[in-house]
Amino acid sequence: MERKVATTVNIEFIGGKDVMPIEAYWGPYPHHWMEEDYKGKEDPYAEMINDEYFKMIKECGINIIEHSHTDYTRYPEEFRKSLELASKYGIGYIVLDEQLVKYSKDENADLDKIAERVAEYKDYPAYMALYVVDEPKSKT
């Protein structure tokens, strides 16, 4: 049997080819869908986008946040804060932008509009990719 060299992933932002990507599927985010449940009570999830949680994620060895409900379309301030904190702690961030999810379903989508949209956040150091669809399927 011939010896083969393994292919490595090289993501410079998280440390390069000698660092194994370890992803968390969910990142910190407020639970907006529970606002009714917390009316008049303290929301224990309201302030999860902060240094404490991102530092904890980094200390756990997680170096990429794969998905979060911190959607740029609906919660741009939370989204930017998440990207800033991920950048600060050297954690790659895969972006959820519901507007781009809609564009992905339109075979006539304007590519210039998509590029303009991505340009609004692509320069954050933590920005790695776009989350568009989970478990894609065919029509057949």
Side-chain angles (χ1 to χ4, degrees):
M1 178 180 245
E2 184 180 329
R3 181 177 174 171
K4 294 183 180 180
V5 177
T7 303
T8 59
V9 174
N10 185 10
I11 304 171
E12 287 298 324
F13 181 70
I14 65 169
K17 66 180 175 63
D18 295 327
V19 175
M20 175 184 265
I22 301 174
E23 297 183 10
Y25 188 70
W26 288 100
Y29 66 96
H31 293 74
H32 295 289
W33 68 88
M34 296 181 73
E35 287 172 351
E36 275 301 309
D37 294 345
Y38 291 120
K39 243 188 184 112
K41 301 179 230 166
E42 184 179 341
D43 177 354
Y45 305 106
E47 297 300 323
M48 291 186 76
I49 301 173
N50 63 39
D51 277 285
E52 175 187 3
Y53 285 100
F54 277 81
K55 183 177 182 219
M56 193 182 316
I57 290 167
K58 182 66 174 183
E59 289 173 350
C60 287
I62 294 167
N63 51 27
I64 298 173
I65 295 175
E66 157 73 32
H67 183 273
S68 180
H69 268 282
T70 308
D71 169 31
Y72 181 59
T73 301
R74 292 188 284 164
Y75 311 111
E77 296 81 23
E78 293 170 3
F79 172 89
R80 285 187 195 93
K81 188 173 179 183
S82 293
L83 271 173
E84 288 167 8
L85 288 166
S87 295
K88 177 180 178 178
Y89 288 99
I91 301 167
Y93 200 89
I94 298 176
V95 165
L96 171 64
D97 184 343
E98 287 292 338
Q99 188 63 47
L100 293 179
V101 172
K102 288 178 189 172
Y103 287 156
S104 74
K105 296 174 184 172
D106 179 0
E107 60 188 51
N108 299 311
D110 183 338
L111 296 179
D112 290 331
K113 270 185 161 178
I114 293 170
E116 281 177 31
R117 180 71 170 201
V118 174
E120 295 176 27
Y121 45 76
K122 72 174 181 56
D123 292 328
Y124 282 91
Y127 171 80
M128 292 187 63
L130 297 167
Y131 173 90
V132 178
V133 65
D134 182 27
E135 301 176 14
K137 46 194 159 285
S138 71
K139 293 178 182 179
T140 58

